[in-house]
Structure formats: C-alpha cells, structure tokens
Amino acid sequence: YAVKLTYDMAILGEATNLEELSDYLKEYDNEWTIGVEDSPEWSDDVLRSQPHLYSLGHNKSDATYTTRLLTLQDVLIHVGILSSESVQSQWSSLALELLYFTNDDEERYSIQSHPAILRNLTVQAADPPLGYPVYASGSFSMPLL
C-alpha cells in the first residue's frame, strides 16, 4: 500500500493523525485491489466489479514506472430499436440515388446525419456496392520518422 498511500498523500494532502491514516488503510483493504494487472487476483476482482483498481508497472525499455487507476462507475447509455421498414426504406432510397440517379457526390443526402433514424449507421450497414464492406484489420504500427 506504500505507493498508493504516497500517491494519495501527494494528491489529497497528508494524513493529519493516525486515525486518518488508519481509515486510508482500511479503505484500501475493503474497496481497492492494489497489484499487478496480469495477476489472477486482478482479473478476478475485475469480474467481481471491485470499485477501485490500482496497479504499478515498470517499462524496462524506457526505464519508467507507470500507474493505472481504474474506478467502477455507472455509464448512461441509450438503447433504441429501428423498424426494419425504416432501414429498408433508407436502403431503397440509397439504391435509387446511387444506381439510377448516379449521384456520386460525397455530400449527397443519403449520407447526411439524421439522429432519429441513425442514417449514417444504416447507410454504412447496407450491403456493397451501396454501403461499406465489412472489414476489420489487425493492429499495426506505422513509424512516423
């Protein structure tokens, strides 16, 4: 707990008495996982929804130490549903525009954003040649210099 305690003291201010120090240590015992990210204990605590995770790492090539602090929190998400008729009508409109009217303008109406019907997502999801092909590549790095 020494590294975490030192970090907290630098950020939050020093403990003024032994009772406050004791409260910090009790909180670490009850609400924190302090350890190495690749350890089985870390993985188990992530699955158990431990409220706070803290790790210390060492990068040997850069000779640097790093810390990672993760806090469990609620995230507001929006869930919705589109009727199949809405999606089919957008795809029909897209087909008419691209195949019969031969509109290849990059700012055409069919790709303009429309939040209520998620137009950008539904147009991209159309089968090629109308939509975009489904493609996922592996990770790669590109040197900048």
Side-chain angles (χ1 to χ4, degrees), residues 64-75:
T64 58
Y65 289 94
T66 59
T67 62
R68 178 168 287 177
L69 173 67
L70 304 174
T71 301
L72 183 67
Q73 48 189 306
D74 292 330
V75 176

Side-chain angles (χ1 to χ4, degrees), residues 1-10 28 34 54-57 65-67:
Y1 296 155
V3 173
K4 175 67 175 128
L5 184 62
T6 303
Y7 177 81
D8 285 348
M9 296 297 145
Y28 295 161
I34 300 174
Y54 184 83
S55 72
L56 178 67
Y65 289 94
T66 59
T67 62

Side-chain angles (χ1 to χ4, degrees), residues 4 14 27 32 42 45-46 49 60 64 71 78 80 86-87 99 101-102 104 112 119 125 129 143-144:
K4 175 67 175 128
E14 294 185 20
E27 181 184 349
W32 288 82
W42 182 278
D45 286 343
V46 167
S49 299
K60 292 179 183 177
T64 58
T71 301
H78 300 280
S86 172
V87 174
L99 300 178
F101 297 155
T102 62
D104 62 355
Q112 296 298 312
R119 189 187 321 265
L144 298 175

